[in-house]
């Protein structure tokens, strides 16, 4: 089987996914078009690798969840046109919920095994400030009859159910959240993100954002812990009863998550260059990592957040590895309970998980998050001189995926 290599991966800073309104400013990136974020990453990739390599790539694949309004009309195609990339470059925009960015990279890796002569560009973009969560108003999460029949539940209800089933306390959620913020702030202060993050410019050349915007450097456990539960009213709309009926061991759903225990909505993009050894050598590129395994999985749509770990187990089996063979893990902090469950179930040393913080601190740009985690893992492996990293992503309705990469010297 043809090996697939990652030659470079970059991301933007994550801006607050808030639009300007009522005289209040929006997030630092909220005035910038999503295709412009992608274009600026492409410019940076040309400088890091080779301009001819980027323009000669055969395809551009982007994850994007909210495909309406500013993100409608095929984001990958619009981004290619906006960046003035050649017409021969095939484009694909995909929505696999919150794992879309890593799915795009996985799709590109499969193409690279088929088309050994060509490089691919893959990642994701999401501007929640311009296209809010569930802006497409799909019947899947709006039609009560469909929601019951299929079934569907808001993702945070899955986190609440998970916390109830596992007996995860509010205190534990607060500890995880504080740790994410503190690790993220430490990483930024010590330059851990310097190689992987591209500052975004305004149209006049000034800097719009160079640093993840949502981090609360001075957050305390007391403040986070004092915030009231945020989702009991949502559960009372019928979703708690749905969960109790689906999981007979439950008598009720304990609502322990508050707004701090959830990742903030964010604006961001990430993009990777990948392909076979032959494709890289044709442009004089040196690989940074080899993709050892990639897997996708789907599990219970109400509990929701076991798809990522199922995919992880499949990827480890495909690579013939165990968690003890992995140096770094980037596990999507979908909600604080999901992170708690992961460390409980797999007994992995927390010192190897999300070492530079995670979504709880830096935010969740849905279609881009998976590609962002990959970018973080790639550059942290090189910074530390370690060998293997595992990226685990979760999405609503039980969707998950995982990828294992190995550093190239």
């Amino acid at each position: 089987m043809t090996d697939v290599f990652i030659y470079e991966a970059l991301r933007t800073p994550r801006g607050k996914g808030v639009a300007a309104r009522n005289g209040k400013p929006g997030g630092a990136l909220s005035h910038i078009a999503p295709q412009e974020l992608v274009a600026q990453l492409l410019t940076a990739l040309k400088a890091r690798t080779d301009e001819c390599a980027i323009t000669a790539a055969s395809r551009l694949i982007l994850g994007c969840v909210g495909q309406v309004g500013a993100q409608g009309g095929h984001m990958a195609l619009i981004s290619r046109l906006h960046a003035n990339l050649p017409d021969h470059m095939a484009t694909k925009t995909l929505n696999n919920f919150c794992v879309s960015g890593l799915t795009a990279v996985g799709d590109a890796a499969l193409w690279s095994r088929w088309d050994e002569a060509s490089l691919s560009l893959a990642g994701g973009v999401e501007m929640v400030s311009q296209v809010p969560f569930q802006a497409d108003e799909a019947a899947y999460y709006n039609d009560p009859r469909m929601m019951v029949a299929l079934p569907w539940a808001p993702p945070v209800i899955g986190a609440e159910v998970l916390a109830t089933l596992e007996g995860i306390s509010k205190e534990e959620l607060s500890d995880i959240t504080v740790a994410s913020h503190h690790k993220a702030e430490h990483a930024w202060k010590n330059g851990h993100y310097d190689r992987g993050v591209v500052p975004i410019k305004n149209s006049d050349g000034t800097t719009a954002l160079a640093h993840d915007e949502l981090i609360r450097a001075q957050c305390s456990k007391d403040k986070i812990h004092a915030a009231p539960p945020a989702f009991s009213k949502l559960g009372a709309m019928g979703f708690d009863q749905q969960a109790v009926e689906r999981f007979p061991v439950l008598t009720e759903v304990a609502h322990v998550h508050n707004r701090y225990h959830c990742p903030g909505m964010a604006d961001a993009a990430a993009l990777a260059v990948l392909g076979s050894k032959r494709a890289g050598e044709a442009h004089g590129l040196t690989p940074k990592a080899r993709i050892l395994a990639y897997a996708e999985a789907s599990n219970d749509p109400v509990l929701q957040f076991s798809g990522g770990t199922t995919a992880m187990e499949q990827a480890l089996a495909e690579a013939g590895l165990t968690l003890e063979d992995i140096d770094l893990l980037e596990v999507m902090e979908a909600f604080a309970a999901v992170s708690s469950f992961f460390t409980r179930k797999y007994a992995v040393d927390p010192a190897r998980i999300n070492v530079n913080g995670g979504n709880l601190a830096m935010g969740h740009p849905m279609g881009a998050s998976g590609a962002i985690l990959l970018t973080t893992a790639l550059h942290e492996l090189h910074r530390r001189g370690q060998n293997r990293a595992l990226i685990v992503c979760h999405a609503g309705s039980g969707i998950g995926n995982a990828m294992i990469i190995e550093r190239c010297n």
Side-chain angles (χ1 to χ4, degrees):
M1 186 178 294
T2 302
D3 283 335
V4 179
F5 297 91
I6 300 171
Y7 290 96
E8 187 57 276
L10 297 172
R11 73 166 176 95
T12 72
R14 283 175 269 199
K16 294 179 181 178
V18 178
R21 61 171 59 92
N22 300 326
K24 295 182 179 180
L29 300 179
S30 62
H31 63 289
I32 298 176
Q35 62 267 25
E36 177 61 17
L37 293 189
V38 178
Q40 291 195 33
L41 286 178
L42 287 163
T43 297
L45 286 170
K46 289 175 182 178
R48 289 281 187 93
T49 57
D50 176 82
E51 182 168 356
C52 291
I54 301 304
T55 57
S58 289
R59 61 196 58 83
L60 171 63
I61 306 175
L62 289 179
C64 184
V65 176
Q67 295 185 33
V68 296
Q71 295 179 164
H74 197 338
M75 275 310 309
L77 173 62
I78 293 168
S79 296
R80 190 199 77 191
L81 296 171
H82 181 69
N84 198 29
L85 293 173
D87 293 343
H88 71 73
M89 187 181 294
T91 56
K92 180 193 293 185
T93 305
L94 60 85
N95 175 12
N96 199 22
F97 286 3
C98 298
V99 308
S100 297
L102 193 62
T103 301
V105 176
D107 274 18
L110 293 174
W111 272 107
S112 296
R113 286 176 172 169
W114 177 263
D115 179 11
E116 294 184 40
S118 300
L119 293 170
S120 295
L121 308 170
V125 62
E126 201 80 37
M127 299 293 291
V128 183
S129 63
Q130 299 176 28
V131 183
F133 178 53
Q134 297 181 352
D136 59 352
E137 299 183 355
Y140 179 47
Y141 38 75
N142 276 321
D143 183 335
R145 293 169 299 177
M146 186 180 291
M147 290 157 60
V148 171
L150 290 179
W152 180 86
V156 71
I157 295 298
E160 298 280 53
V161 172
L162 180 62
T164 306
L165 289 170
E166 298 295 324
I168 299 171
S169 68
K170 182 181 177 183
E171 182 174 12
E172 191 170 340
L173 302 184
S174 298
D175 285 337
I176 288 167
T177 302
V178 170
S180 184
H181 284 276
H182 289 175
K183 286 190 289 186
E185 180 65 13
H186 177 269
W188 272 105
K189 281 186 175 179
N190 289 276
H192 298 184
Y193 282 115
D194 287 355
R195 286 291 296 171
V197 179
V198 175
I200 294 300
K201 303 292 185 180
N202 293 308
S203 57
D204 63 2
T206 59
T207 298
L209 187 64
H211 183 286
D212 289 321
E213 192 177 17
L214 290 92
I215 301 169
R216 298 181 178 93
Q218 305 303 320
C219 73
S220 68
K221 179 179 174 180
D222 289 344
K223 180 178 179 180
I224 289 176
H225 199 63
F231 305 103
S232 55
K233 290 183 178 179
L234 184 64
M237 293 170 62
F239 295 112
D240 283 359
Q241 184 59 36
Q242 179 192 51
V244 168
E245 292 173 357
R246 193 168 186 84
F247 302 100
V249 68
L250 294 177
T251 57
E252 63 178 0
V253 175
H255 289 280
V256 290
H257 285 78
N258 61 40
R259 63 189 183 92
Y260 295 108
H261 300 142
C262 310
M265 291 288 99
D267 297 336
L271 204 56
V273 183
L274 61 157
S276 69
K277 181 179 180 181
R278 174 186 166 192
E281 288 179 343
H283 296 282
L285 302 184
T286 301
K288 289 185 176 294
R290 179 167 65 101
I291 297 176
L292 296 183
Y294 173 70
E296 298 179 348
S298 186
N299 281 335
D300 189 279
V302 174
L303 186 57
Q304 308 197 43
F305 297 110
S306 58
T309 52
T310 299
M312 177 192 77
E313 293 169 0
Q314 293 173 357
L316 287 167
E318 178 185 335
L321 299 171
T322 70
L323 283 170
E324 292 305 309
D325 300 312
I326 303 298
D327 298 299
L328 295 172
L329 292 90
E330 285 293 321
V331 182
M332 184 182 286
E333 292 176 347
F335 295 96
V338 179
S339 298
S340 174
F341 172 72
F342 185 91
T343 55
R344 283 184 175 200
K345 181 174 182 180
Y346 294 101
V348 177
D349 182 355
R352 291 192 285 148
I353 303 175
N354 298 351
V355 296
N356 291 329
N359 283 22
L360 286 170
M362 292 174 282
H364 179 36
M366 299 175 289
S369 281
I372 287 174
L373 297 186
L374 172 67
T375 301
T376 298
L378 177 74
H379 290 285
E380 189 63 15
L381 276 183
H382 278 268
R383 194 186 72 81
R384 291 174 174 236
Q386 293 180 312
N387 294 321
R388 300 188 188 100
L390 170 64
I391 300 93
V392 182
C393 296
H394 327 272
S397 300
I399 296 168
N401 59 10
M403 180 176 286
I404 302 171
I405 61 173
E406 182 176 64
R407 179 176 64 91
C408 296
N409 294 323

